[in-house]
Amino acid sequence: MSPDHAFVCGNPALDLAATLRARRTLRCETLVSPERLDAWYLGAGIVDGLSPGCRETDVEQAVRVREAVYALVTARLRGERYDDEALAVVNGAAARPSASPQLTASGRWTEATPAEALAAVARHAVELLGGTEAALLKECGDPECTRVYPDRSRGARRQWCGMEPCGNRVKAAAYRARRKGAPATAAG
């Protein structure tokens, strides 16, 4: 798996949770350095143009929030009670000052410190899990993928986090299996 960031989950908090990919098998970490966290904040649209200047401690804090978000999302999917420590981590990050977009002559512009950028992501988690979209959460149907997304599709029929990362692979594996007369697997 590539260390490149993907933004297919439909919410920055879910995309942050997906920065540890294939949690059940390969466990591919994408937040491997402060520069990768800076790139994630830029790619997620949390900041514009300038990187927040993350340090190793910021990566550690982002990973801590990421794991707390994933624990809360997983509990929601399973209909379980939220873990108190995960709640404290996300709420603590969300309570800090957040990135503030500014309107400029050329459009929106957001600069942030690493803590402000992480606070913005944590607030996305609070809004998602505390709002109506929490009922729409689904995990990707690819057995190798652990991304979660709100299924906003008509009839709630979406099966994958995205066609590019998972849907095409699952469909191709199913096609190959049908051609061989064997059972379909995503890894094929």
Side-chain angles (χ1 to χ4, degrees):
M1 290 189 164
S2 167
D4 294 333
H5 299 300
F7 302 95
V8 297
C9 297
N11 182 289
L14 296 175
D15 285 324
L16 180 67
T19 60
L20 178 59
R21 298 185 187 168
R23 288 172 178 268
R24 289 185 286 271
T25 55
L26 302 173
R27 298 187 60 84
C28 179
E29 176 65 70
T30 62
L31 296 181
V32 295
S33 69
E35 295 78 22
R36 295 300 298 152
L37 181 56
D38 281 338
W40 188 88
Y41 285 133
L42 285 164
I46 301 299
V47 298
D48 298 308
L50 300 174
S51 66
C54 292
R55 298 183 316 235
E56 201 59 49
T57 57
D58 299 314
V59 175
E60 292 166 8
Q61 184 61 26
V63 167
R64 188 167 182 241
V65 170
R66 174 191 72 195
E67 294 307 305
V69 167
Y70 188 76
L72 296 173
V73 166
T74 301
R76 172 66 181 167
L77 287 171
R78 294 178 181 161
E80 297 172 356
R81 185 178 164 283
Y82 288 147
D83 177 75
D84 290 336
E85 185 178 339
L87 282 171
V89 169
V90 170
N91 287 332
R96 294 184 173 183
S98 183
S100 298
Q102 303 292 311
L103 184 60
T104 68
S106 58
R108 180 191 82 124
W109 186 261
T110 305
E111 292 180 20
T113 66
E116 291 169 340
L118 188 57
V121 176
R123 287 181 183 174
H124 279 284
V126 170
E127 292 300 319
L128 175 69
L129 292 168
T132 58
E133 285 208 334
L136 304 178
L137 292 177
K138 281 186 175 177
E139 187 175 63
C140 183
D142 180 346
E144 296 293 317
C145 184
T146 54
R147 288 185 183 114
V148 176
Y149 58 90
D151 185 357
R152 300 178 188 109
S153 68
R154 188 174 179 179
R157 295 170 36 138
R158 184 173 164 189
Q159 297 178 26
W160 304 288
C161 61
M163 283 305 292
E164 190 63 34
C166 293
N168 290 338
R169 184 175 60 236
V170 171
K171 285 183 172 190
Y175 173 77
R176 285 190 302 274
R178 282 192 308 273
R179 299 247 337 191
K180 291 180 181 180
T185 66

